[in-house]
Amino acid sequence: MAITRRVLLRSAAVFGTATGTGFPHLWFKNADLAMAANGEIKVGVLFSLTGTTAIIEESLNKATLLAIEEINATGGINGMKIVPVVEDPASDPATFSEKARKLVVGDKCVSVFGSYTSASRKAVLPIFERQNNLYWYPTLYEGRECSKNVIYTGAVPNQQQDEFVPWLIKRFGPKFYLIGSNYIYPKEENNYCRKLLERHGGEVVAEEYVPLGHSEFASVINKFKSTQPNVIFSTVVGDSVVALHRQYRAAGLDPAKMPMASLTTSENEVAAMGGEAAAGHFTSAPYFMVHKSPENEKFVAAYKKRWGDDKVTHFVSEPSYFQVYLFRQAVQKLAQRDITPPNIRDAVKGAEMIAPQGKVRIAPENLHTSLWPKIAQAKSNGQFEVLVDAAQWVPPVPYAAYPGQVCTERGLTQI
């Protein structure tokens, strides 16, 4: 569609940033100074190693460190070693903010790799925008964000739901029960799900949110029984994923008749809950551990060798891994004196690489990533069987739920 009108939106709510400033054009003194010295490039690693989301975030920390170690083992970047500064934000957004400030202002890291929840990303975003630094965010998220200071390598709603929702309606029926954790990500994903249900003849029989870390789902499961949806569309996260699946199974519900369809259940949560609790349910994501490609076989083998044979890879640890290689690709283009966050951002625009899931690309206009959506069913052995695999990569549409709004290099625009 041709752009007929461009209006830079000024509302904080529309921009979706914690600061309300969207694309800040403030340049601070230190942002223009080269940040690599003495043969080292310092980066931050900011994933929770304790708290309710540590169940997933410790694996993102491991994937990030693995990529850094691999790059350093082959000579680093233009002869310089990547030096990770690891902090534990303890699954607490306020601590994320505190640790991010330390990494950017105190440690002078040239980029930070971090966050799982949108709450934690929103908590650190003002720091990266004010300091004009760069945050690499590997997690699938709700979109509706347009920042020059974040590289988004996880999926946005159109990349997880456009194929998934109509597939579920056709296979199981039109009645959906939406259950999620109570914060921005599940609410925005469910907002987009509602639009797709309207478009494809589906309906919402109930929509409910539980606190982060919630573990008692008896009343929720009673509502499943009373409303009898065809599909339980789940965006609960962290430990709650494990509790919901185990209690669903204990209640005697049958995934063949009323499956859970998730955007957040990966091999990591399945390993925690046990394969029997996950078997028969569905997940939509760009990556599964069973994906067949030489790049994925190498990634899985290296991850197991480094962290243990019992460890699994999944759709958030994979972008945590490949985004470090995109960082390398960008920094390789720069002379040492030019290694600054703004220059790295400009150098990564349009970057492509063969990731474990397939060829990915950073969109220059919005800094999100073209990915390969898949639909898979969990098996009792703890792995997934991929049932639907995209024939080509799917470009990101961060504002898919908001027609007329587009994230461009100029900022958020109205068309």
Side-chain angles (χ1 to χ4, degrees), residues 36-116:
N38 302 319
E40 296 182 344
I41 303 169
K42 198 181 294 184
V43 300
V45 181
L46 189 62
F47 296 109
S48 298
L49 305 178
T50 57
T52 186
T53 55
I55 182 177
I56 188 82
E57 293 195 46
E58 61 87 22
S59 63
L60 314 186
N61 176 73
K62 285 182 168 65
T64 302
L65 294 180
L66 173 63
I68 290 171
E69 290 170 2
E70 288 180 347
I71 291 168
N72 284 340
T74 56
I77 305 176
N78 297 336
M80 295 176 283
K81 297 290 186 184
I82 305 175
V83 177
V85 181
V86 178
E87 293 290 344
D88 175 14
S91 306
D92 173 51
T95 308
F96 263 94
S97 178
E98 172 193 332
K99 298 292 186 181
R101 174 168 293 280
K102 171 190 174 294
L103 291 169
V104 171
V105 179
D107 297 317
K108 301 190 184 308
C109 293
V110 74
S111 281
V112 176
F113 304 94
S115 281
Y116 175 66

Side-chain angles (χ1 to χ4, degrees), residues 327-385:
F327 169 83
R328 178 182 72 169
Q329 190 179 131
V331 175
Q332 278 178 327
K333 300 175 183 176
L334 304 173
Q336 180 175 326
R337 64 179 180 278
D338 295 326
I339 299 175
T340 66
N343 287 340
I344 294 171
R345 177 190 60 218
D346 291 342
V348 84
K349 291 179 178 177
E352 298 180 358
M353 66 168 286
I354 307 296
Q357 68 176 274
K359 191 174 185 179
V360 299
R361 177 178 186 268
I362 301 296
E365 64 275 17
N366 56 39
L367 303 180
H368 289 65
T369 308
S370 290
L371 301 168
W372 296 80
K374 301 170 179 65
I375 298 170
Q377 185 175 34
K379 299 297 180 184
S380 59
N381 66 358
Q383 288 294 325
F384 285 82
E385 178 185 4

Side-chain angles (χ1 to χ4, degrees), residues 125-145:
L125 190 53
I127 294 163
F128 287 88
E129 293 187 334
R130 287 174 189 151
Q131 300 296 329
N132 206 15
N133 206 290
L134 202 55
Y135 199 52
W136 297 70
Y137 181 61
T139 311
L140 54 115
Y141 89 110
E142 68 280 0
R144 206 185 183 191
E145 190 168 284

Side-chain angles (χ1 to χ4, degrees), residues 13-327:
V14 173
F15 270 83
T17 69
T19 59
T21 53
F23 277 11
H25 298 284
L26 300 176
W27 288 70
F28 287 77
K29 183 179 179 181
N30 287 339
D32 285 335
L33 300 177
M35 300 174 74
N38 302 319
E40 296 182 344
I41 303 169
K42 198 181 294 184
V43 300
V45 181
L46 189 62
F47 296 109
S48 298
L49 305 178
T50 57
T52 186
T53 55
I55 182 177
I56 188 82
E57 293 195 46
E58 61 87 22
S59 63
L60 314 186
N61 176 73
K62 285 182 168 65
T64 302
L65 294 180
L66 173 63
I68 290 171
E69 290 170 2
E70 288 180 347
I71 291 168
N72 284 340
T74 56
I77 305 176
N78 297 336
M80 295 176 283
K81 297 290 186 184
I82 305 175
V83 177
V85 181
V86 178
E87 293 290 344
D88 175 14
S91 306
D92 173 51
T95 308
F96 263 94
S97 178
E98 172 193 332
K99 298 292 186 181
R101 174 168 293 280
K102 171 190 174 294
L103 291 169
V104 171
V105 179
D107 297 317
K108 301 190 184 308
C109 293
V110 74
S111 281
V112 176
F113 304 94
S115 281
Y116 175 66
T117 67
S118 289
S120 64
R121 188 192 69 258
K122 292 290 189 187
V124 305
L125 190 53
I127 294 163
F128 287 88
E129 293 187 334
R130 287 174 189 151
Q131 300 296 329
N132 206 15
N133 206 290
L134 202 55
Y135 199 52
W136 297 70
Y137 181 61
T139 311
L140 54 115
Y141 89 110
E142 68 280 0
R144 206 185 183 191
E145 190 168 284
C146 192
S147 175
K148 277 187 173 181
N149 299 94
V150 183
I151 306 297
Y152 306 85
T153 54
V156 287
N158 75 292
Q159 294 170 312
Q160 283 190 283
Q161 293 199 49
D162 279 2
E163 182 78 21
F164 197 29
V165 170
W167 184 86
L168 290 165
I169 293 173
K170 184 177 181 180
R171 184 156 176 165
F172 295 102
K175 297 192 301 180
F176 279 45
Y177 193 117
L178 311 182
I179 176 72
S181 297
N182 191 16
Y183 71 107
I184 187 172
Y185 163 72
K187 292 179 179 179
E188 286 290 340
E189 288 284 3
N190 285 340
N191 175 45
Y192 190 59
C193 183
R194 279 182 175 275
K195 295 178 185 297
L196 291 175
L197 288 172
E198 291 172 8
R199 187 183 306 165
H200 295 284
E203 62 176 302
V204 176
V205 298
E207 182 172 354
E208 183 171 2
Y209 297 94
V210 297
L212 280 168
H214 189 71
S215 61
E216 178 49 64
F217 286 91
S219 65
V220 172
I221 288 172
N222 284 336
K223 293 174 189 173
F224 293 164
K225 292 178 177 177
S226 64
T227 55
Q228 287 293 303
N230 301 120
V231 175
I232 299 164
F233 193 78
S234 173
T235 48
V236 299
V237 302
D239 295 339
S240 297
V241 177
V242 176
L244 176 60
H245 279 75
R246 284 179 173 170
Q247 291 169 41
Y248 171 105
R249 185 166 186 261
L253 297 177
D254 184 357
K257 298 176 180 176
M258 189 192 299
M260 284 195 276
S262 175
L263 305 179
T264 54
T265 303
S266 75
E267 292 86 345
N268 209 59
E269 287 85 356
V270 173
M273 73 179 74
E276 292 296 337
H281 299 294
F282 299 91
T283 293
S284 173
Y287 171 86
F288 291 93
M289 187 173 173
V290 297
H291 178 65
K292 301 293 185 186
S293 76
E295 292 77 17
N296 189 42
E297 290 175 9
K298 179 183 175 185
F299 169 49
V300 172
Y303 192 89
K304 284 179 170 289
K305 181 179 180 181
R306 177 65 178 85
W307 301 113
D309 245 1
D310 61 332
K311 303 301 183 187
V312 296
T313 58
H314 54 84
F315 56 76
V316 192
S317 66
E318 188 244 7
S320 299
Y321 177 78
F322 77 65
Q323 69 179 10
V324 180
Y325 279 90
L326 287 169
F327 169 83

